Amino acid sequence: MPYRPHLFLVPLDPVDPEIIRHLSEAITGLLCLPVKVLPPKPLPPHTHHVGRNQHHSTKLLEYLLDDDHPEPFLVLGITAVDLYIPIFTFVFGEAQLSGKAAIISLFRPGGGAGEVRPHKSLFWDRLLKLGVHELGHTLGLGHCRQPGCLMGFSANLEKLDQKKLVFCEYCRILLADCFKGWSSPPDQE
Amino acid sequence: MLPHKKISILVVDDEMSIRESLSGWLEQDGYEVQTAADGPTALAQVQENHYDIMLLDVKMPQMDGITVLKKLKETHPDTAVVVMTAHGAIQDAVEAMKLGAFDYLLKPFDLEELSLTMEKLVQLQTLAMENLILKERVATITRFENLVGQSPPMLKLFESIVDVAKSDATVLITGETGTGKELVARAIHAHSSRHYSPFIAINCGAFTEHLLESELFGHEKGAFTDAKYTKKGRLEMANAGTLFLDEVGDISMKMQIDLLRVLETREFTRVGGTTSIKSDFRVIAATHQDLQKNIREKIFRQDLYYRLNVIHLQVPPLRERPEDIPLLAQHFLRRYATETSKKIDSIHPETLEAMRRYLWPGNVRELENAIERAVVVGKTRQIKPGDLPFVSPETGTEEGKRLSLEEMESRYIAQVLALESGHISNAAKVLRINRTTLYHKIKKYGLVP
């Protein structure tokens, strides 16, 4: 039985430590994964699209996986820049389905695309929803059509804000099935 | 959650990054996605696989999207096409719409735009599927008939049906496609104490997850866009009767969780409702799939399997009961001759012999279709071998398929062994070879006596 993975939080360029700490604590509580915050990695220039002034999120996922770790792991990158994948105008984040890497952007949740700058609690709420949603993909969950479920697809901030910070009962069962497939490594017991 | 019956999409774009990003997102949203890098490849893939939707780039080298669309509509008019074109090339989109494209997207587009377009398309596909299911249901009602057979495996099955009908236990019926699993379920219901109450059947494999949920649990008015009235689900309709879940091996993981809960409690709520509803029904499930294998592959829940497999009935394939073929053939001949008012009342002995030699991969359903066709095309009072064009009377194999001598020998030995119920001495006598030679040939061709 494979060991339960560690979750590494990796800021891409320095990110406000308060945000990282908040995410770390909340994700630990929600997903019951051992979380470790790694030092920031610089944003690589090759992911930047000058014309769009955005970073290519799929390339950033590959960049996050450049560093190897001895233990099984998942990695969540956190960045202040706006993200895109080629055919879409923007994305809030991206993840590898049943893979290892996920990334979220603080740009649009923080009002960076001309939206009203949100209150801190709303901003944190958005980040946490995005982070756990993308991590849900790495744990094998697809988009969910149950109303309000955290794994539901949110095309804009309004829909993101309507979502609850909870998984529906189906996604909870599928997550539990996923967790049952792991054993605790000696250092987590 | 992924939709139960996955909508299949072909993404056609010459840019790899676009193919990958689109397919990645669509897969996360529960669609089955394949890609093609150019028009000719896309058209070749369409010949090999069925696609519900094509996302098609307009500007491509070799063959542009408009040409691909024209050619596609000639052969596959049912595949819905969404063209993707650059801002400033709106005239391409207009031309595509004239040629029958469902919609267009201007690149790059918002995820929201794509999501809305896909939702509209899925609704369209769902309506088309509902229409097909309704047609099939009408056809099923007019053709309902009881099980037919006098072979030992069928007589044993009839005994089991009578025994099983006395209890209220959940039954799992397995067997190949076309063997008559629903007829077995109906027979159990007819012999049970619930026979005055309804027998409610649902083919789980024919519905999208959303539709299956609504069909099983019902829905409240306003539960979703098209829910203009409150509708009872099959679980509710089956109260006091029997619920037959056909192709239960095809249901999604989410529906498996729902079903398990209902089987445990016999309580559920309608989609969009809050009131818990109780229903007293007996469950009979059926599948052609190997559920044990599905459990090992983690696509079927073990706990649900145990809940369904309280009593297990296996319906034998037609090739294991060749003695029933003449009986079944006469049975279907009477029915279709009456229906079509044709004076056809017998089957030529050579036709019967060819039918006995044929392996019937589609089982009783295939035999029924063959007789129906023979009655329609038959010109005399007797069905002649030539009236069954897919069965060659000389070889018992599919017409037009050329077999090597070894393939022919292997098939023939397998058929004789099946006819003689695996009895080596009897089979050797029929084949006019000695037992040792037969053993060598069985080993050589990897046959199972």
Side-chain angles (χ1 to χ4, degrees), chain A residues 5 7 31 33 61 73-76 94-103 131-142 151 175 178 182, chain B residues 28:
Chain A
L7 171 61
L31 285 179
L33 286 175
L61 292 180
F73 70 96
L74 300 173
V75 59
L76 175 65
E94 192 186 346
Q96 297 171 329
L97 190 62
S98 301
K100 283 185 171 181
I103 186 169
V132 178
H133 176 97
E134 297 303 342
L135 286 170
H137 287 319
T138 65
L139 298 172
L141 298 180
M151 288 313 294
L175 267 183
C178 172
W182 292 330
Chain B
Q28 278 186 352

Side-chain angles (χ1 to χ4, degrees), chain B residues 419-446:
Chain B
L419 286 168
E420 298 303 328
S421 305
H423 196 287
I424 299 291
S425 297
N426 291 355
K429 271 182 205 163
V430 173
L431 294 164
R432 294 188 195 166
I433 54 176
N434 63 43
R435 291 172 70 244
T436 311
T437 307
L438 180 55
Y439 273 122
H440 280 302
K441 288 187 185 294
I442 287 170
K443 193 176 171 192
K444 178 181 171 186
Y445 296 125

Side-chain angles (χ1 to χ4, degrees), chain B residues 295-312:
Chain B
I295 290 168
R296 284 195 298 278
E297 289 173 2
K298 299 193 170 130
I299 53 174
F300 200 84
R301 296 186 70 89
Q302 191 168 38
D303 42 13
L304 178 59
Y305 174 75
Y306 287 135
R307 183 63 68 168
L308 293 173
N309 191 33
V310 179
I311 295 171
H312 178 211

Side-chain angles (χ1 to χ4, degrees), chain A residues 85-91 95 97 137 142-146 153 155-156 159 169-171 173-174 177, chain B residues 1 3 17-18 21-22 25 28-29 31 107-112 114-115 213 253-254 257-258 261 301:
Chain A
I85 49 181
I87 190 76
F88 299 129
T89 46
F90 74 92
V91 289
L97 190 62
H137 287 319
H143 283 149
C144 178
R145 287 173 171 79
Q146 292 297 308
F153 164 63
N156 53 40
K159 289 196 177 137
E169 56 184 318
Y170 303 111
C171 288
I173 290 171
L174 295 174
D177 285 351
Chain B
M1 308 300 317
S17 60
I18 288 182
S21 54
L22 257 180
W25 186 84
Q28 278 186 352
D29 215 30
Y31 299 101
K107 290 202 278 188
F109 39 82
D110 286 348
L111 271 166
E112 189 166 19
L114 176 64
S115 181
E213 185 184 34
M253 294 300 280
K254 171 190 170 298
I257 294 167
D258 277 338
R261 186 182 311 123
R301 296 186 70 89

Side-chain angles (χ1 to χ4, degrees), chain B residues 1 19 23 42-43 91 100 114 140 184 194 218 226 282 347 416:
Chain B
M1 308 300 317
R19 291 198 303 275
S23 60
L43 291 171
Q91 71 279 7
L114 176 64
T140 308
V184 172
R194 294 174 176 265
D226 292 330
R282 182 196 196 161
I347 300 171
V416 171

Side-chain angles (χ1 to χ4, degrees), chain B residues 140-340:
Chain B
T140 308
I141 291 164
T142 54
R143 290 186 189 180
F144 173 74
E145 196 55 73
N146 282 324
L147 290 156
V148 175
Q150 56 186 17
S151 59
M154 287 308 279
L155 293 177
K156 197 175 160 199
L157 180 65
F158 296 161
E159 273 179 37
S160 302
I161 288 170
V162 175
D163 291 341
V164 165
K166 289 174 194 159
S167 84
D168 220 14
T170 302
V171 182
L172 178 65
I173 304 168
T174 56
E176 292 175 14
T177 301
T179 47
K181 296 183 286 293
E182 180 166 348
L183 294 183
V184 172
R186 285 183 184 275
I188 294 170
H189 174 74
H191 283 82
S192 75
S193 58
R194 294 174 176 265
H195 69 277
Y196 287 115
S197 299
F199 174 90
I200 302 292
I202 181 163
N203 183 345
C204 304
F207 292 89
T208 60
E209 181 180 276
H210 174 69
L211 200 53
L212 181 61
E213 185 184 34
S214 168
E215 282 291 320
L216 275 176
F217 300 105
H219 60 73
E220 296 292 345
K221 184 179 174 183
F224 45 87
T225 316
D226 292 330
K228 295 191 172 54
Y229 54 89
T230 297
K231 181 186 160 189
K232 275 188 182 183
R234 308 279 176 109
L235 296 173
E236 220 171 326
M237 288 193 273
N239 190 27
T242 302
L243 177 71
F244 176 55
L245 300 168
D246 200 4
E247 297 306 353
V248 76
D250 289 355
I251 64 174
S252 69
M253 294 300 280
K254 171 190 170 298
M255 283 306 296
Q256 289 177 35
I257 294 167
D258 277 338
L259 195 56
L260 182 66
R261 186 182 311 123
V262 171
L263 294 184
E264 282 168 350
T265 61
R266 296 292 196 271
E267 272 190 53
F268 57 92
T269 51
R270 290 183 192 142
V271 177
T274 50
T275 314
S276 183
I277 298 167
K278 282 197 168 197
S279 183
D280 167 32
F281 51 84
R282 182 196 196 161
V283 173
I284 302 178
T287 181
H288 72 279
Q289 296 201 30
D290 181 348
L291 291 185
Q292 298 275 21
K293 181 169 158 276
N294 289 0
I295 290 168
R296 284 195 298 278
E297 289 173 2
K298 299 193 170 130
I299 53 174
F300 200 84
R301 296 186 70 89
Q302 191 168 38
D303 42 13
L304 178 59
Y305 174 75
Y306 287 135
R307 183 63 68 168
L308 293 173
N309 191 33
V310 179
I311 295 171
H312 178 211
L313 295 181
Q314 171 84 30
V315 188
L318 192 51
R319 67 180 172 279
E320 287 179 11
R321 51 186 187 110
E323 60 269 57
D324 284 338
I325 290 171
L327 189 71
L328 283 159
Q330 290 291 351
H331 167 76
F332 292 128
L333 173 61
R334 271 198 301 277
R335 181 199 297 178
Y336 289 109
T338 309
E339 267 186 23
T340 56

